[in-house]
Amino acid sequence: MRPSLFATVATVGIAFTASCALAFTAPTTALEGVASGVYEIDPSHTSIQFGISHLGFSQYQGRFNAAAGTLAFDAKAPEKSTLAVTIDIAGIDTNNAKLESELKGDQWFDAAKFPTATFTSSSIEKLTATTGKVTGNLTLHGVTKPVTLDVTFNGSGTNPFANVAALGFSAHGTLKRSDFGITQYIPMVGDDVSIAIESELHAKR
């Protein structure tokens, strides 16, 4: 008796899952084990979130959905690595279409005039085997200011789905939006903005 289509699909799916499981090894958390080279941000596994006080009642959350960039990693001297990131301002996401339209307007980010924000590292400080500080120039709303992020190295290994060397980082920091000329509704809407980043990067092919 011929196997059903469902059984065939199920068998293929199980075989694929099993092969991925066999190929996958847990990421190593040893920063020294990462190969030198250029790594590119995986936009589908990168999250750039921000939080800001709203009338003192809540820390309102939002995110930017579109980011691209590269990390030129030096395994022998991680502090000599360089990072460059570009964020599409039009990709702002607050789960509120009306608010998103307002934030992209000229009283806030003015996305028509300043469509991107960029971050370029100027120094990297290694604190422990898996933590450090990355300082760089953030250009936002046409203004460039230094920003420092606390960074944690999460691990590196081979991504079995993409079949490519991968590594991941978490980063946190704060900035004052007034430093970048975005002052609407201060102090009712906070000046201090928290930043939380989760990012996976793949070796450039």
Side-chain angles (χ1 to χ4, degrees):
M1 183 172 64
R2 296 177 61 186
S4 68
L5 177 61
F6 175 78
T8 301
V9 171
T11 300
V12 172
I14 292 171
F16 174 75
T17 302
S19 65
C20 286
L22 289 172
F24 178 74
T25 56
T28 175
T29 55
L31 186 60
E32 290 79 5
V34 181
S36 294
V38 176
Y39 292 80
E40 297 179 312
I41 286 176
D42 174 9
S44 61
H45 294 97
T46 294
S47 171
I48 302 174
Q49 296 183 308
F50 61 87
I52 187 169
S53 174
H54 181 254
L55 303 176
F57 297 134
S58 68
Q59 284 292 312
Y60 194 83
Q61 303 294 305
R63 57 177 285 167
F64 291 97
N65 288 330
T70 57
L71 169 67
F73 182 73
D74 186 331
K76 293 182 179 180
E79 65 278 4
K80 294 182 180 179
S81 304
T82 58
L83 175 68
V85 179
T86 298
I87 300 168
D88 182 4
I89 297 300
I92 194 168
D93 181 356
T94 64
N95 197 32
N96 182 325
K98 182 179 179 180
L99 177 58
E100 290 158 13
S101 179
E102 181 180 341
L103 291 174
K104 286 183 276 191
D106 58 10
Q107 291 187 320
W108 291 85
F109 288 101
D110 199 356
K113 187 175 180 180
F114 308 108
T116 61
T118 60
F119 178 85
T120 303
S121 65
S122 56
S123 67
I124 295 177
E125 179 184 3
K126 183 181 176 183
L127 299 178
T128 71
T130 57
T131 63
K133 290 182 178 292
V134 176
T135 298
N137 292 314
L138 174 65
T139 299
L140 173 66
H141 197 240
V143 179
T144 301
K145 294 283 186 179
V147 171
T148 298
L149 300 173
D150 295 309
V151 179
T152 298
F153 172 65
N154 298 323
S156 66
T158 299
N159 181 317
F161 299 105
N163 192 30
V164 65
L167 59 154
F169 294 91
S170 300
H172 299 83
T174 59
L175 58 84
K176 287 188 179 294
R177 62 187 179 98
S178 60
D179 286 346
F180 298 89
I182 304 174
T183 59
Q184 185 79 336
Y185 297 140
I186 294 175
M188 293 182 295
V189 177
D191 189 11
D192 293 334
V193 181
S194 63
I195 306 295
I197 301 168
E198 297 291 334
S199 186
E200 294 181 25
L201 300 97
H202 292 169
K204 187 175 181 179
R205 300 188 185 188

